Amino acid sequence: MIEASVEHPVKALRHQISERGWSMDDALHRGHGPSVPHVMERFHCEQCAKAVLRDQEKDESLEREMRDDDQRQQRAWMQETQQRQKRKRTEKEHEQRRLFEFLSDGSSDSDGMAEAAQLIKGLKVPQLKHVYATNQLLVSGSKGALEERILGCKKHGRLGRSCPLCGNSKLELKYAPDNATEPHAVQCKHMRGMGRPCPFKKEFTPDTKVTVLTGQLVDDAEGDLRIVGLLP
């Protein structure tokens, strides 16, 4: 303790400390918010005050460095995420083009698929989406994805109804990565919430495909497929 008097004054630092805590109600998610702050006063001699200020400056400098580091990491993470998403989109578009070209290859056993592929390319995105909704197919995706799905539906067929589990019309044929010749399943792509996809997926083989994909490609109410000559 340092004594001071009128004859022997001592410089001192007076500061306030505010302690704020969270109430038990808020900890239990009742929404009452933090408790009222508890304010205390402290005095330091000149020498101790300088030491306190130095410590505060160090703490503030460290906090700034940590905040800057967090921001750098956040920017790097966002950049990496964007690059990863871009790579995935590029890979997916490449796979869709490859599958579309295979399905429309006139040298394979796909009778009339080459001509059908050219006719499908004449459809606009709104027309493709109308046809998809009519055929209970997944509507989202790029134009290339829509063209690939509708060509696959024409060649292999479709489930012929909405998803038997969730009732949504978001079905898609699934092809094996190493074999684009035949689909091996039809899957529902509906999301019931974050990380909660519809579990419907019906597997089949080339021999049992006709018992699962009982539906055929049908036209929408506007007759878009007939307009481009894809259906009689």
Side-chain angles (χ1 to χ4, degrees), residues 197-214:
C198 175
F200 175 74
K201 183 178 181 180
K202 182 69 173 179
E203 300 275 354
F204 51 79
T205 66
D207 294 332
T208 62
K209 179 178 67 174
V210 294
T211 64
V212 177
L213 304 180
T214 58

Side-chain angles (χ1 to χ4, degrees), residues 19-36:
E19 293 183 345
R20 182 185 297 271
W22 289 86
S23 64
M24 181 60 70
D25 286 330
D26 193 76
L28 296 175
H29 306 289
R30 296 174 184 170
H32 289 271
S35 59
V36 178

Side-chain angles (χ1 to χ4, degrees), residues 2-10:
I2 298 178
E3 297 182 356
S5 64
V6 177
E7 293 79 12
H8 303 284
V10 176

Side-chain angles (χ1 to χ4, degrees), residues 51-64:
V52 169
L53 291 176
R54 286 195 299 270
D55 290 340
Q56 288 179 347
E57 290 175 355
K58 290 180 181 179
D59 292 341
E60 291 174 357
S61 177
L62 179 61
E63 184 178 353
R64 285 194 300 270

